[in-house]
Structures are given as C-alpha cells and as structure tokens.
Amino acid sequence: MKILVIGSGGREHALVWKIKRSALVKKIYCAPGNYGISKDAVCENIPVNDLQRLLHFATKEKMDLTIVGPEQPLVDGIVDLFESNGLAIFGPSQRAAQLEGSKVFTKELLARHRIPSAAYAKFTNYEDAKAYAAVAKMPVVIKADGLAAGKGVVICHEPAQAMEALLQMMQNRVFGAAGATVIIEEFLTGEEVSILAISDGENLVYLAPAQDHKRIFDGDQGANTGGMGAYAPTPFLDAETLQRIKTEIMAPTIKAMAQEDRPYRGVLYAGLILTQDGPKVLEYNCRFGDPETQVILPLAQSDLVEAILAARSGLLHRFDWRNRSGATAGVVIASGGYPEKYTTGKRIYGLEKPLQKETLLFHSGTKGVEGQAVTAGGRVLTVTAWAENLQQAIASAYQTVGKITFDGAYYRKDIGAKGLR
Ligand code: AMP
Ligand code: GLY
C-alpha cells in the first residue's frame, strides 16, 4: 500500500513510525511533515488546510489510504471530499467531526443521551453570559464553542476572570466565530485520562489509556499547552472504572452518533476526568492525541494499518488490539516561551547520537536548514522510552532528553510522576 499521513507534528511522526512497521505498507508520504518525518517518509509541502491540493496530490500519487492527524481538515470535511472522489481515507466525516468542532453540539448530544459530563449553560448573548457568570459558583470553566487551537478553555476562579474571558471570546472575538457561542461549565476535580479508541461506526477497539500533561510548568501549573508529555498505561485507572468508561461513555457515544445519522468512523479520543461520582467527559477530539500518540503507538503490538482497514470495512469486532507489557513515557522538549511567544531557527544538537535501546525520537516543530535540524515551532521534539515499568521508562526518557540541546530548550521534569503515586 501507499499511505499518506496528513500533518506535521510529533503525532504524525509517531503515526509514520508505526505505519512503517506494517507488512502491508510499501511507501509512506506525509504532507507537510517535518525534518524528522522526512527521514521516514516522502514529505510533500502542502498545508493541512489546503484540502484541494491534498486531494490532487493523493489522486495523482494513487494513494491507497490517507490518515489524517489534525482536527482542522477533519472539521473542514476532508473525509467527505476524499470519499466523494473515490479515495480511501481514515477519519470521521464532517458531520461526525462536530464532536470536536462544536462543544455545544457535544454537550447537547451528551445531555440527550445521558452520558456523564459537567453541568453547563450555553450562551449566544454576551449580557446573558455575564449575568450568569456574575452569580455562578466559582470556579467555572468557560469554553468557546468552536476550534480555538487548544486555547478556547479558561478556568476562572474569580468572577473578574470570567468577565475577562467572556469579553475576549464574545466581544473581542479573539477566536473569531468560534467564540460567538460559549459554554459555562461546572468545574470538576479528579485525575484526567485520555481514552483513544478506533471505531468503525459501531464497534470500538481501545488503545492503551494515557495521561497527558497539559500545563506548561511542573506540578500542573501555568498556562495550558498542546501537551508537554504523556505516559501509558495509567496505573490509577482500575479495571472497573475502565469498564464504566467503555459502557457508560464511549460505546453510548458511538451509538448516539449512529442514531443521529452521524456514524463515527475514525479515532474517538475522550478527554475524561475521574470524579468522585465516576468518570465524566471533559471533551471529545475527533483524532489521535498529541503527545498521547507518541506513547500509545510505541506500546502497541498490533498493526495499526490492519486496524484501520478493519474499521473501514466495518469488521472491527474481529480485531483484537494488543499492547506490549511494560510502560512508555514521552517527554516534550519545547521552545522557551511556549505557549506564548518564542523564537525559532535554533540549531538542535544531540540528534546525531545513537538512541538508547527502546527509545524513540519524534519530531514536531523542526526543519532542515543546510542539512542541519533547527527549531521551527513551539513543541519541538518528543522523546519516548519503553521499559518494564513506568519508573524506568521515565528515567530512560529523561536520559535522552538530557542529551538534546538547543538555545532556550524547555521541558517539564515531572512527566509521569502522577502515575507513580
Ligand atoms: P479541553 O481543551 O476541553 O480538554 O480543556 C483543557 C483542559 O481544561 C482540560 O484538560 C482540563 O484540565 C481543563 N478542563 C476542561 N473542562 C474542565 C472542567 N469542567 N472542570 C475542570 N477542568 C476542566
Ligand atoms: N493532547 C491534547 C490533544 O491532542 O488535544
């Protein structure tokens, strides 16, 4: 098979790495890719939101399958476009991708089908939202309805913070039309877990449960980021809770989507919180997670391409996803200043050294300049290590992290610590 991966992050590098290990695959392409991906796949410099050029490229190269990394092209309807042109592609349709594309859509779907999530109110009127926030019990969580590049969620501990968030989203439209409607949600406490499953529209196959580290600083302090590291599996998630997640949340969501004529085929990624009242949905994503994918795929034994083909033909119930024993930990190295302002173009040192056993290096914001790797984004690399147990995996990942340097490199020192408690 000839396979095209769309995207340019660590997630896509991990997808390329895993797909390359499939006996079904002959050649891998990536659009647009990055410096690290260009060593493993043929990169074609097409932006992920240029659907027409992607279609033209996949048609011309006669791709047997396209796998989509980021949410934007999915929400923009790339799957519908490719399928209507006779091309095989893996991901949800535009209507199904609304699970990530609209938080209002998702909250209303969850409410209609009694799937556990935080209590909420929805506002399209700025004055009404302010009036509600003025008397709401703090903290509250304010969310822009549409896609906001991971920045559309604000946790407010004081009414003044809530007023500011509403002003920015609804009046100043810092996220454009995505902030025209907002949700004000109950603040939930508990351990967070990312559950990713592959679905054929009816059946689900579960990948290893993972935990992301969204905040920039150690101890989950500071601003939200795309994710600063992850590990899998999650020791605190017991079998009974996992079963509840499957039967009370994941399977009912897939069923609800089918019932509402939005059959969901693709990766369903639930951001969940384990509250005292049981697991609840914080959000859905319609794709693989980043950096979760960088720890979930190196832990897998099964062939991802086989799983995707089973999902495309509605035969997932016959597919058994297997993981290795042990654990994986992935540490993101970012540009200093991320997720706010940062500079790029810094030469990266230490990449040429041979990696330790069971260690993988996934590139995010990197590019090649005169044959040298330089930084080209906020998140630059993910170092993933596998070991017999989580503690060793963490130690091993940090050993390699310590050998890679660039001007202003920053990483969290506590990735995986919550899994050891
Ligand atoms: P999201 O982009 O929706 O995943 O939200 C980003 C982060 O905000 C989540 O990973 C949580 O840490 C936090 N968050 C979102 N909704 C809530 C909530 N209702 N209660 C507590 N924390 C939340
Ligand atoms: N790890 C967060 C995300 O992929 O959205």
Side-chain angles (χ1 to χ4, degrees):
M1 292 178 76
K2 279 171 86 172
I3 299 199
L4 171 64
V5 173
I6 294 176
S8 61
R11 163 183 54 205
E12 287 76 17
H13 198 180
L15 284 166
V16 164
W17 172 84
K18 181 66 179 161
I19 292 165
K20 217 177 159 176
R21 271 142 193 82
S22 170
L24 299 168
V25 175
K26 208 162 113 194
K27 198 158 182 193
I28 309 173
Y29 296 78
C30 188
N34 60 38
Y35 180 74
I37 294 175
S38 73
K39 311 276 174 198
D40 293 318
V42 179
C43 289
E44 181 73 11
N45 194 14
I46 307 174
V48 301
N49 55 6
D50 194 339
L51 305 196
Q52 288 301 332
R53 274 183 68 197
L54 290 167
L55 173 67
H56 179 77
F57 178 67
T59 307
K60 186 180 71 145
E61 293 293 334
K62 300 194 173 63
M63 294 297 169
D64 297 300
L65 177 66
T66 295
I67 299 171
V68 188
E71 62 278 13
Q72 191 71 55
L74 292 165
V75 171
D76 291 344
I78 191 168
V79 169
D80 311 68
L81 179 70
F82 272 49
E83 285 183 343
S84 65
N85 283 278
L87 286 173
I89 184 164
F90 179 64
S93 67
Q94 185 165 34
R95 276 170 61 77
Q98 281 299 294
L99 269 186
E100 178 162 3
S102 167
K103 295 200 188 286
V104 171
F105 167 80
T106 298
K107 294 301 285 190
E108 292 179 345
L109 179 102
L110 295 175
R112 273 198 299 282
H113 295 270
R114 302 187 194 292
I115 297 166
S117 184
Y120 76 103
K122 158 187 127 176
F123 296 95
T124 48
N125 179 290
Y126 178 50
E127 297 302 325
D128 291 349
K130 281 199 298 184
Y132 180 92
V135 295
K137 183 167 159 279
M138 294 290 137
V140 291
V141 185
I142 300 189
K143 301 185 175 183
D145 176 41
L147 292 184
K151 294 188 177 137
V153 174
V154 185
I155 295 169
C156 309
H157 295 274
E158 318 267 345
Q161 283 175 302
M163 296 305 153
E164 178 63 20
L166 292 173
L167 174 71
Q168 296 302 342
M169 286 182 197
M170 299 188 86
Q171 285 293 97
N172 298 346
R173 295 288 170 97
V174 291
F175 307 122
T181 303
V182 302
I183 277 176
I184 304 184
E185 193 173 275
E186 163 198 21
F187 179 81
L188 299 173
T189 50
E191 209 57 71
E192 283 183 47
V193 58
S194 301
I195 298 292
L196 279 75
I198 296 173
S199 180
D200 58 7
E202 195 182 334
N203 308 288
L204 288 139
V205 157
Y206 292 89
L207 312 188
Q211 189 172 49
D212 188 10
H213 297 64
K214 285 217 164 75
R215 306 297 197 91
I216 185 70
F217 299 128
D218 287 8
D220 295 333
Q221 302 296 310
N224 256 324
T225 70
M228 294 300 295
Y231 64 93
T234 44
F236 56 81
L237 183 65
D238 56 70
E240 187 199 332
T241 310
L242 181 59
Q243 195 52 42
R244 284 187 69 181
I245 290 169
K246 292 178 182 179
T247 57
E248 295 173 20
I249 294 176
M250 301 293 285
T253 300
I254 291 297
K255 198 169 161 200
M257 292 295 279
Q259 275 174 6
E260 301 205 359
D261 199 24
R262 296 173 190 263
Y264 193 98
R265 287 183 215 98
V267 171
L268 180 63
Y269 158 2
L272 303 169
I273 187 159
L274 309 181
T275 74
Q276 293 215 307
D277 305 325
K280 295 189 179 183
V281 178
L282 288 181
E283 64 160 352
Y284 272 123
N285 295 315
C286 62
R287 51 171 174 82
F288 287 97
D290 189 338
E292 287 93 330
T293 305
Q294 293 96 298
V295 297
I296 286 173
L297 294 181
L299 195 61
Q301 254 170 356
S302 296
D303 184 329
L304 177 65
V305 178
E306 271 180 33
I308 289 174
L309 294 181
R312 284 188 39 80
S313 49
L315 295 173
L316 259 190
H317 54 288
R318 295 198 200 152
F319 193 87
D320 187 18
W321 184 268
R322 286 179 187 279
N323 292 313
R324 306 172 68 180
S325 61
T328 46
V331 178
V332 171
I333 311 178
S335 298
Y338 172 78
E340 317 297 336
K341 262 177 46 188
Y342 56 83
T343 50
T344 58
K346 312 284 184 197
R347 168 106 187 257
I348 308 169
Y349 298 92
L351 297 180
E352 59 292 332
K353 292 191 191 119
L355 287 168
Q356 301 183 83
K357 243 181 111 216
E358 301 288 3
T359 302
L360 297 161
L361 190 56
F362 297 121
H363 288 234
S364 303
T366 66
K367 69 175 184 187
V369 173
E370 289 159 7
Q372 308 283 0
V374 301
T375 65
R379 291 189 291 177
V380 177
L381 297 156
T382 307
V383 175
T384 297
W386 173 92
E388 286 298 340
N389 62 53
L390 179 60
Q391 191 165 14
Q392 287 167 12
I394 295 167
S396 177
Y398 276 110
Q399 259 182 24
T400 296
V401 167
K403 292 180 188 152
I404 297 172
T405 56
F406 56 86
D407 186 18
Y410 170 79
Y411 55 88
R412 275 181 62 161
K413 312 284 184 295
D414 65 344
I415 299 304
K418 282 192 284 186
L420 298 177
R421 261 195 237 138

